[in-house]
């Protein structure tokens, strides 16, 4: 069974920059995403594959999840990316512009590579990046397209570009897309990662954006600058106060159940089985 990682913060790093990848090893990000797509020019992609292959084991040795964003599966670059990095056994690959066909294609290629390299079948996971209108509307089918999928990410920049609308700090324009991803992820019990916040120095805006995503049900958030990591980690971590509250709630409900009741009052509010189960899930998350 593959290791399960805490995935609060996921930092994108250009795959062509050995210097930036080297620095990322010591950062507080839970996952490092070595990018072979948008952050790498066409002329640098071959060299970037070699650079990333060198750093995957270093990232993993530091206790972090090593993820690679490959190029789109409808390009030869995407196929070459999978072939190049599979031997280094990344924990997951991000499939951009994801649809059902591209996810299944990545799955099939990875299966063949795992067999060839004598790796455990399914050991390399897939994270679809939904960043098109068609992808958002077909989210539930995409997330269910492969058993390798253990997370899904929203890409708001390409999405809003396609829609012809502006990205705002408030994020109202992507609320619908965010909700569809959360529901699809929940339906298949996989992690759900929010789009990066592009205001590098706007820490207040970052906090509000991350809190909004967390309140919707996202389990983590991607970022493009190390300065955002700690704030994201705080938002997507369970606080001691939340843990204590959940424990008290579960204890109160279990006492009520032992007395033959299906609901009870707890700190001025009525609680029942679904509320108690939500508290148990929070305690389970805190224990990971």
């Amino acid at each position: 069974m593959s290791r399960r990682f805490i995935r609060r913060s996921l930092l994108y790093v250009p795959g062509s920059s050995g210097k930036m990848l080297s620095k990322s090893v010591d950062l507080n990000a839970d996952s490092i995403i070595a990018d072979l797509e948008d952050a790498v020019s066409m002329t640098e992609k071959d060299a970037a594959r070699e650079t990333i292959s060198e750093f995957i084991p270093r990232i993993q040795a530091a206790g972090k999840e090593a993820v690679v964003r490959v190029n789109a599966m409808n390009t030869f670059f995407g196929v070459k990316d999978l072939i190049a990095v599979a031997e280094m056994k990344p924990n997951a690959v991000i499939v951009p512009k994801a649809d059902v066909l591209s996810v299944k294609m990545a799955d099939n290629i990875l299966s063949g590579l795992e067999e060839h390299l004598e790796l455990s079948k399914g050991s390399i996971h897939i994270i679809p990046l939904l960043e098109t209108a068609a992808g958002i509307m077909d989210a539930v089918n995409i997330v269910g397209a492969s058993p390798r999928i253990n997370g899904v990410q929203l890409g708001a920049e390409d999405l809003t570009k396609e829609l012809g609308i502006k990205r705002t700090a408030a994020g109202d324009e992507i609320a619908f897309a965010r909700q569809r991803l959360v529901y699809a992820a929940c339906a298949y019990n996989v992690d759900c990662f929010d789009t990066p916040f592009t205001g590098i120095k706007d820490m207040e805006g970052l906090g509000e954006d991350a809190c909004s995503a967390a309140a919707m049900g996202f389990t983590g958030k991607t970022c493009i600058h190390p300065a955002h990591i700690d704030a994201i980690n705080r938002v997507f971590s369970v606080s001691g106060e939340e843990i204590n509250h959940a424990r008290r709630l579960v204890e109160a409900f279990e006492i009520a159940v032992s007395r033959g009741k299906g609901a009870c009052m707890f700190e001025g509010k009525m609680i029942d089985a679904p509320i108690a189960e939500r508290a148990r899930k929070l305690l389970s998350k805190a224990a990971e």
Side-chain angles (χ1 to χ4, degrees):
M1 182 179 294
S2 60
R3 174 182 172 186
R4 177 174 174 81
F5 288 88
I6 297 173
R7 297 156 128 187
R8 301 162 301 175
S9 54
L10 301 89
L11 175 68
Y12 274 97
V13 181
S16 54
S17 176
K19 182 178 179 180
M20 295 179 72
L21 284 166
S22 182
K23 288 183 177 179
S24 74
V25 173
D26 297 320
L27 296 174
N28 292 328
D30 297 323
S31 303
I32 303 299
I33 304 171
D35 191 7
L36 284 172
E37 194 207 15
D38 288 346
V40 179
S41 69
M42 294 295 183
T43 58
E44 293 181 305
K45 291 192 185 292
D46 287 337
R49 291 185 193 100
E50 294 183 10
T51 302
I52 283 176
S53 294
E54 175 188 345
F55 279 95
I56 287 173
R58 289 182 56 183
I59 291 168
Q60 293 169 328
K64 303 178 187 300
E65 181 184 33
V67 181
V68 179
R69 177 164 72 168
V70 299
N71 285 273
M73 285 293 98
N74 62 353
T75 70
F76 186 53
F77 289 116
V79 177
K80 289 183 70 175
D81 292 343
L82 291 180
I83 294 171
V85 302
E87 190 171 359
M88 292 296 105
K89 298 180 284 188
N91 300 102
V93 295
I94 291 178
V95 175
K97 305 292 191 301
D99 56 19
V100 171
L101 181 61
S102 63
V103 168
K104 289 183 177 295
M105 182 177 178
D107 188 337
N108 289 335
I109 293 172
L110 288 171
S111 292
L113 289 168
E114 287 169 345
E115 182 176 0
H116 175 69
L117 297 168
E118 298 183 346
L119 304 177
S120 299
K121 185 175 181 180
S123 58
I124 302 174
H125 295 291
I126 290 176
I127 300 173
L129 174 54
L130 304 193
E131 48 187 342
T132 67
I136 298 300
M137 297 307 296
D138 201 30
V140 71
N141 290 321
I142 294 171
V143 176
S146 166
R148 293 180 184 273
I149 293 174
N150 67 355
V152 60
Q153 185 205 329
L154 173 64
E157 300 308 316
D158 281 350
L159 176 63
T160 52
K161 180 180 71 174
E162 180 183 341
L163 294 173
I165 58 177
K166 292 182 178 180
R167 280 283 281 122
T168 68
D172 293 340
E173 71 282 358
I174 60 170
F176 174 75
R178 278 173 158 169
Q179 289 171 339
R180 285 191 70 90
L181 255 72
V182 167
Y183 277 69
C186 183
Y188 282 94
N189 192 31
V190 301
D191 293 331
C192 192
F193 311 123
D194 192 33
T195 191
F197 184 76
T198 56
I200 302 302
K201 296 183 179 180
D202 183 7
M203 300 306 291
E204 181 178 354
L206 168 66
E208 293 174 352
D209 189 58
C211 286
S212 177
M216 283 187 177
F218 281 88
T219 58
K221 187 172 178 66
T222 54
C223 56
I224 55 175
H225 196 281
H228 289 186
I229 295 170
D230 289 342
I232 291 172
N233 284 345
R234 284 194 297 271
V235 170
F236 288 95
S237 295
V238 182
S239 69
E241 182 180 348
E242 290 174 313
I243 293 171
N244 290 332
H245 179 271
R247 283 175 178 161
R248 295 196 307 272
L249 188 152
V250 170
E251 289 172 1
F253 182 73
E254 288 178 348
I255 291 172
V257 170
S258 69
R259 295 173 178 172
K261 297 180 179 179
C264 67
M265 290 295 295
F266 172 73
E267 297 184 0
K269 294 182 179 180
M270 184 66 70
I271 62 171
D272 56 9
I275 295 174
E277 183 59 27
R278 185 169 62 201
R280 291 190 187 97
K281 286 184 177 179
L282 184 145
L283 291 174
S284 178
K285 178 181 177 182
E288 291 179 350

